[in-house]
Amino acid sequence: MRHHPHSLAEAVLAGERRGLARAITLIESTRADHREAAEALLADLLPHTGRSIRIGISGVPGVGKSTFIEAFGLHVIGLGHRVAVLAVDPSSPRSGGSILGDKTRMEELSRRPEAFIRPSPAGGTLGGVARRTREAMLACEAAGFDVVIVETVGVGQSETAVADMVDLFLLLLVPGGGDELQGIKKGIVELADVIVVNKADGDLAAAAARAAAEYRNALRLLRPARSGWTPPVLRCSALSGAGIGEVWDTVTAFRERPGATAEIKGRRADQARSWMWNEVSETLLSTLREDDAVGRLLGELEAAVTSGKTTPTAAAQELLARFLAGKKS
Amino acid sequence: MRHHPHSLAEAVLAGERRGLARAITLIESTRADHREAAEALLADLLPHTGRSIRIGISGVPGVGKSTFIEAFGLHVIGLGHRVAVLAVDPSSPRSGGSILGDKTRMEELSRRPEAFIRPSPAGGTLGGVARRTREAMLACEAAGFDVVIVETVGVGQSETAVADMVDLFLLLLVPGGGDELQGIKKGIVELADVIVVNKADGDLAAAAARAAAEYRNALRLLRPARSGWTPPVLRCSALSGAGIGEVWDTVTAFRERPGATAEIKGRRADQARSWMWNEVSETLLSTLREDDAVGRLLGELEAAVTSGKTTPTAAAQELLARFLAGKKS
């Protein structure tokens, strides 16, 4: 695959979907020459980025996430927006699609020219997938997509990674059967700026109302992380479309709060800075782990530490001494 | 101050409180020669550590934490245990005591030979304070203290740091006035293995009962982080001593659940491993930040990143290239 960064940048900036797809493929590639070309491309695109609302959406399989994103995406397209849907799924296999990759999940949305749907980059570390998704997000914005959704299945630390790259984090839930509420991972409720209880129709309507009320009570116990915004708990039926408009209205209200613009801008600046330090930290650590001199030592040291034979600090010092000594050679 | 690590180790192992205090002072010192002596000391003490229950206690100022810890400490001493109380408080000033340092806060407990109370190490990074506290904890265990409490005022990420070094995390709360519950930081409720509502006496008794019920409901929404343990919400009056025994009984029940021993052992092994990697990561990052070649570049790069002039990944690569090139010289 030959890449011409500058003409590729032009294609992206012109809003060409195939150009955007090629750009993201380049961004996802781990080949060193592709990495270099991707960095050059992103440098060209950077001044044209940032002009979107970035929404993270998390929900376990079975909650109706695809149906929801499709309904939501079609709704905002109807209002004149262009929607990109990306995904963070570190379990995604290298060959074939990821769980979140099958376009037939959101078939109607995928056929709209105002929509762009991309499966998660293939697996590896969460850090690697997150970085590539952040870069893909920039490319989507440069291509003129003004609503960017990043979805995650809610495995491991994916939600935190997604919350760290978006302006607003939406948690999608379903009502459980009877009194038993669907268990949700600790910490996730606290990340959410909006909670939506889906499948609030038919037999589940009453259960959905109860679930929404219980989550509202739970959220009252948590001091709001941002001033002037208590995370609302909404109900919808993605299948019928009921309540979808209200979700978008809530996103709009979030953006239009007094001080929201400055807050979102400040949040993005913090996210960019912490992304830089994450990159530095991860690369340093992986450089260390792959260092020949360190490698032989590492297994022994971890075993000694976990079995209480050496203090973690002493082990860390040994690792670092071996690594930094090697660098001087 | 002259330190003789081996005789100091003997003093600690003999349970001498002055020896333990000197050992912890050595551990807290940032002088390179003291660091070396501290590492040698800890290597000697390590085989004698681990034989305690490690309890983290978090609560904002005004919640009655000192009164609670004193009542709790005296109770367990009455049952034949020896209690050490350490603190994580990164806001602690270098000279004089920290907020959590004044022994008059727990005067009766501090006068007991079976108790050892130590203020937080002086300020600096949370990582540095956490490391020194973990090492102090090992010294206390080697000296025969079998209940080790690590307290924190709940500022910043202190709770997470404390939760990462203990077997059980206890959150102390007070009832708010009327219906308005005391706001608590997002994420903290999720760390807690036990929640205790203090000041459940007199006028506040009914409010405390309501608060306890509301927290119980909120906790039901969170999937238990450990199997077989739903965090209980207890009530007590530290001032009168009511409910203190029940708190200790709950700690005992926690330790005696089926599978608890293996779980706690596994948790400690994970904590030790992640402590090692935290040390590696922090030292690498601080080595990088203090590197002359990098220093000049850093401010410019951070500004470029936060203002959107350069991608975080490109900035990270530049920093790393400058750092690693320097290492080769």
Side-chain angles (χ1 to χ4, degrees):
Chain A
M1 186 181 4
R2 292 167 68 206
H3 294 277
H4 304 282
H6 293 286
S7 59
L8 191 49
E10 285 162 16
V12 171
L13 292 168
E16 289 174 27
R17 296 179 63 193
R18 260 188 304 199
L20 177 57
R22 285 194 349 256
I24 297 179
T25 299
L26 180 65
I27 281 165
E28 292 179 357
S29 171
T30 48
R31 273 174 50 173
D33 53 343
H34 289 170
R35 245 307 71 210
E36 220 176 296
E39 288 298 320
L41 171 65
L42 286 161
D44 286 344
L45 297 180
L46 198 60
H48 307 275
T49 64
R51 291 186 277 268
S52 79
I53 178 79
R54 301 168 178 174
I55 303 172
I57 299 184
S58 176
V60 296
V63 82
K65 189 151 40 81
S66 314
T67 317
F68 175 84
I69 293 174
E70 179 163 74
F72 184 79
L74 290 169
H75 176 75
V76 304
I77 283 173
L79 296 171
H81 298 283
R82 293 179 72 216
V83 183
V85 184
L86 304 173
V88 167
D89 177 16
S91 69
S92 169
R94 286 192 176 280
S95 54
S98 61
I99 295 168
L100 300 178
D102 190 352
K103 285 194 184 143
T104 62
R105 296 188 307 133
M106 296 186 263
E107 194 188 352
E108 195 184 337
L109 184 64
S110 68
R111 284 190 269 115
R112 298 295 294 269
E114 307 94 328
F116 179 85
I117 304 177
R118 181 84 179 193
S120 174
T125 62
L126 173 60
V129 169
R131 170 178 60 69
R132 296 196 284 280
T133 304
R134 290 173 116 141
E135 293 180 341
M137 187 162 66
L138 295 175
C140 291
E141 291 177 339
F145 289 89
D146 67 322
V147 177
V148 179
I149 292 171
V150 182
E151 59 162 329
T152 176
V153 282
V155 173
Q157 294 298 313
S158 303
E159 291 91 351
T160 316
V162 169
D164 279 348
M165 64 178 85
V166 298
D167 305 321
L168 178 153
F169 191 81
L170 184 153
L171 178 62
L172 199 61
L173 302 171
V174 272
D179 271 349
E180 191 90 20
L181 288 169
Q182 177 191 32
I184 45 183
K185 256 177 19 199
K186 285 192 170 186
I188 301 320
V189 169
E190 294 57 57
L191 284 180
D193 297 301
V194 180
I195 290 183
V196 180
V197 179
N198 192 25
K199 303 193 180 181
D201 47 50
D203 293 341
L204 292 178
R210 266 200 312 276
E214 296 219 32
Y215 286 120
R216 260 179 229 117
N217 283 340
L219 284 167
R220 267 181 51 236
L221 294 174
L222 307 172
R223 223 189 295 150
R226 353 206 111 82
S227 59
W229 184 262
T230 304
V233 181
L234 311 173
R235 277 175 288 156
C236 77
S237 166
L239 216 51
S240 76
I244 293 295
E246 281 74 11
V247 178
W248 177 245
D249 292 343
T250 301
V251 172
T252 303
F254 179 83
R255 298 173 85 177
E256 295 182 354
R257 289 169 295 154
T261 308
E263 184 204 81
I264 290 173
K265 186 174 174 191
R267 182 168 150 97
R268 287 185 178 187
D270 291 343
Q271 288 172 341
R273 188 189 307 107
S274 96
W275 175 6
M276 181 186 83
W277 284 109
N278 281 352
E279 281 295 310
V280 170
S281 182
E282 285 219 14
T283 308
L284 273 178
L285 272 180
S286 63
T287 305
L288 182 143
R289 279 188 214 253
E290 290 159 17
D291 188 86
D292 290 332
V294 166
R296 290 183 291 271
L297 196 51
L298 187 49
E300 300 173 26
L301 284 175
E302 272 194 324
V305 158
T306 52
S307 63
K309 291 192 173 46
T310 182
T311 62
T313 319
Q317 282 172 355
E318 229 186 301
L319 271 179
L320 284 162
R322 183 71 64 94
F323 175 61
L324 294 171
K327 293 276 140 284
K328 285 190 170 64
S329 60
Chain B
M1 188 181 3
R2 293 166 68 205
H3 295 276
H4 303 281
H6 293 286
S7 59
L8 191 50
E10 284 161 16
V12 171
L13 292 169
E16 288 174 28
R17 297 179 62 197
R18 259 188 305 198
L20 177 58
R22 286 195 347 258
I24 296 179
T25 298
L26 180 66
I27 281 164
E28 291 177 358
S29 171
T30 47
R31 273 173 51 171
D33 55 342
H34 288 171
R35 239 325 52 219
E36 220 176 299
E39 287 299 318
L41 171 66
L42 287 161
D44 286 344
L45 297 180
L46 198 59
H48 307 274
T49 62
R51 291 187 277 266
S52 79
I53 179 81
R54 301 169 178 174
I55 303 173
I57 299 184
S58 175
V60 295
V63 81
K65 188 150 40 80
S66 315
T67 318
F68 175 84
I69 291 174
E70 179 163 74
F72 184 79
L74 291 169
H75 176 75
V76 304
I77 282 173
L79 297 172
H81 298 283
R82 294 180 73 217
V83 183
V85 184
L86 304 174
V88 168
D89 176 17
S91 69
S92 170
R94 286 191 177 282
S95 55
S98 61
I99 296 169
L100 299 180
D102 190 352
K103 284 195 185 144
T104 62
R105 295 189 306 134
M106 296 186 265
E107 194 188 351
E108 195 183 337
L109 184 64
S110 69
R111 284 191 268 114
R112 299 295 294 269
E114 306 94 329
F116 178 85
I117 303 177
R118 181 83 180 193
S120 174
T125 61
L126 173 60
V129 169
R131 171 178 58 70
R132 296 195 286 278
T133 304
R134 290 174 116 140
E135 293 180 341
M137 186 161 66
L138 295 176
C140 292
E141 291 177 339
F145 289 88
D146 66 323
V147 177
V148 179
I149 293 171
V150 182
E151 59 162 326
T152 176
V153 283
V155 173
Q157 294 299 312
S158 304
E159 290 91 353
T160 316
V162 169
D164 279 349
M165 65 177 85
V166 299
D167 304 321
L168 178 153
F169 190 81
L170 184 154
L171 178 61
L172 199 60
L173 301 171
V174 272
D179 272 349
E180 191 88 21
L181 288 169
Q182 177 191 32
I184 46 183
K185 260 186 6 209
K186 287 192 170 185
I188 302 319
V189 170
E190 293 57 55
L191 284 180
D193 297 300
V194 180
I195 291 184
V196 180
V197 180
N198 192 24
K199 303 194 180 179
D201 46 48
D203 293 339
L204 291 178
R210 267 201 312 276
E214 295 219 35
Y215 286 120
R216 259 180 229 116
N217 284 340
L219 284 167
R220 268 179 53 237
L221 293 174
L222 307 171
R223 223 190 297 151
R226 1 202 105 81
S227 58
W229 184 262
T230 305
V233 181
L234 310 173
R235 277 174 289 154
C236 77
S237 167
L239 216 51
S240 75
I244 293 294
E246 281 74 11
V247 178
W248 177 247
D249 292 343
T250 301
V251 172
T252 303
F254 179 82
R255 298 173 85 176
E256 294 182 353
R257 289 169 294 153
T261 308
E263 183 205 82
I264 289 173
K265 186 175 174 190
R267 181 168 149 95
R268 287 184 179 188
D270 290 343
Q271 289 173 340
R273 190 188 305 109
S274 94
W275 175 7
M276 180 186 84
W277 284 109
N278 282 351
E279 281 295 310
V280 171
S281 182
E282 286 220 14
T283 307
L284 273 178
L285 272 180
S286 62
T287 306
L288 182 142
R289 278 188 214 254
E290 289 158 18
D291 188 86
D292 289 331
V294 165
R296 291 184 291 271
L297 195 51
L298 186 51
E300 300 173 27
L301 284 175
E302 272 195 325
V305 159
T306 52
S307 63
K309 290 190 174 47
T310 181
T311 63
T313 320
Q317 282 172 355
E318 231 188 298
L319 270 179
L320 285 162
R322 183 71 65 94
F323 176 61
L324 294 171
K327 292 276 143 282
K328 286 188 172 60
S329 62

